[in-house]
Amino acid sequence: MNKKKILVLGSNGKTGRRVVERLQNNSDVEIRLGSRNEKIPFDWEKPETWNAVLQNIDLVYITFQPDLAIPSAGEAVENFTKLATKNGVQKMVLLSGRGEKEAQICEEIVKTNAHNWTIVRASWFNQNFSESFFLEPILYGIVALPRAEALEPFTDADDIADVVTTALLNDSHNGKTYELTGPRLLTFKQAVNEIAEASGRNITFQSLSLEEYTQMLREYQVPEDHIWLVNYLFEHVLDGRNSNITQDIENVLGRKAKDFSLYAKETAKTGIWNPKN
């Protein structure tokens, strides 16, 4: 039997890395890593790298960096998906964002260009607190954020990877759009408090206006494109539109979504939240 050849874009990212780990346990698939540093490199900003990485590929997991919300995403996704289908790719699974108008435009592009597709919309990742931009403030002991009152159903990257892997390998998920959430709503302050309790640390949460937060990022010399993206997410996505939970993780996987408190307890045991002396 011929092995399915799967290209995982963003193979070093929060979900891509986990999808690769799961696929490595399946003897019926052959994995190609989509990353700038691979032998066959892939770079969203260098379309000349796309054709080689798509050769002899059956399935693709698409993650777009830094986010589908940025203005250049639509054109890039359009060109990539057309090329992928031209090269014989039979199915694409797209990681999208809940409540992002620009992301939904990219979803429609994938639906139009792919032979088969599955859309996986995800809420804010739990792992943003341990593998991304919230880690440094947690280590410092002060997390200052806008939209302190916003309720978010934080979703675990392990759950997302399980759904993506299932969608890649099982054709019953073709043509489906899934919205993934955790099992309950939390504010950012509540999430930080759970991390403080799990890690045994005193972590202060400070509520800021969006303007104050932007100014703080500039003082820390955060790149302007990153500031733009963070502003977009806090201003347009955390306005209550995603303050609800779904059962899609349970529907796909036959088990409950991971609760934030379990994520916090498991992650605290790794020591990632312990400041280095």
Side-chain angles (χ1 to χ4, degrees):
M1 185 176 71
N2 292 331
K3 292 185 176 183
K4 290 183 178 179
K5 297 177 176 63
I6 304 178
L7 170 62
V8 178
L9 301 184
S11 55
N12 295 323
K14 287 187 285 295
T15 64
R17 172 170 55 83
R18 289 171 166 84
V19 169
V20 169
E21 290 171 354
R22 285 151 177 77
L23 292 174
Q24 285 173 337
N25 296 324
N26 190 318
S27 60
D28 294 329
V29 304
E30 187 176 309
I31 309 163
R32 181 171 295 165
L33 305 181
S35 170
R36 286 190 293 264
N37 300 320
E38 292 301 316
K39 186 175 181 181
I40 305 176
F42 173 84
D43 190 333
W44 277 112
E45 296 182 356
K46 296 180 179 179
E48 62 270 20
T49 66
W50 300 354
N51 193 62
V53 85
L54 283 166
Q55 294 303 305
N56 303 312
I57 291 296
D58 302 306
L59 314 169
V60 183
Y61 174 45
I62 302 175
T63 63
F64 184 85
Q65 299 299 325
D67 194 278
L68 290 173
I70 71 170
S72 63
E75 182 180 1
V77 171
E78 171 111 40
N79 292 335
F80 177 83
T81 52
K82 284 182 176 178
L83 182 63
T85 296
K86 182 179 178 182
N87 276 276
V89 170
Q90 294 302 303
K91 180 161 68 175
M92 306 179 206
V93 177
L94 174 72
L95 178 66
S96 187
R98 289 185 83 214
E100 295 183 25
K101 180 180 67 176
E102 292 80 0
Q104 289 169 16
I105 292 172
C106 293
E107 293 175 12
E108 294 305 314
I109 291 170
V110 172
K111 292 177 185 179
T112 298
N113 293 332
H115 285 306
N116 295 291
W117 53 267
T118 306
I119 306 298
V120 178
R121 296 175 182 163
S123 300
W124 285 65
F125 298 178
N126 293 344
Q127 282 72 14
N128 286 339
F129 293 96
S130 52
E131 301 176 19
S132 193
F133 40 85
F134 295 146
L135 175 58
E136 189 172 348
I138 288 172
L139 291 173
Y140 190 69
I142 301 176
V143 179
L145 292 171
R147 296 285 193 186
E149 76 290 347
L151 288 165
E152 179 68 15
F154 295 102
T155 310
D156 200 84
D158 285 324
D159 285 343
I160 298 169
D162 283 343
V163 170
V164 168
T165 304
T166 301
L168 283 168
L169 299 178
N170 190 327
D171 287 343
S172 67
H173 301 286
N174 291 1
K176 303 287 182 64
T177 297
Y178 297 118
E179 291 210 9
L180 309 188
T181 74
R184 63 190 171 107
L185 298 169
L186 293 90
T187 64
F188 281 92
K189 182 177 182 179
Q190 289 172 327
V192 169
N193 287 344
E194 291 211 14
I195 290 171
E197 181 178 353
S199 60
R201 295 186 54 224
N202 182 22
I203 304 172
T204 301
F205 183 90
Q206 181 180 356
S207 177
L208 300 177
S209 68
L210 194 56
E211 292 75 15
E212 289 171 331
Y213 186 58
T214 299
Q215 181 59 34
M216 182 186 74
L217 293 179
R218 289 202 171 101
E219 289 173 358
Y220 281 97
Q221 298 183 326
V222 173
E224 282 297 320
D225 56 349
H226 181 84
I227 292 175
W228 178 89
L229 178 57
V230 170
N231 265 286
Y232 169 85
L233 294 173
F234 275 102
E235 184 174 6
H236 296 286
V237 181
L238 287 170
D239 60 357
R241 71 183 68 182
N242 291 333
S243 295
N244 56 79
I245 61 174
T246 74
Q247 306 302 318
D248 281 0
I249 288 175
E250 184 172 359
N251 292 340
V252 174
L253 302 178
R255 62 166 176 79
K256 300 285 188 182
K258 182 184 287 188
D259 189 81
F260 189 89
S261 61
L262 178 58
Y263 153 77
K265 290 172 184 175
E266 290 178 347
T267 305
K269 290 176 182 178
T270 70
I272 190 69
W273 290 321
N274 297 335
K276 307 296 188 291
N277 296 324

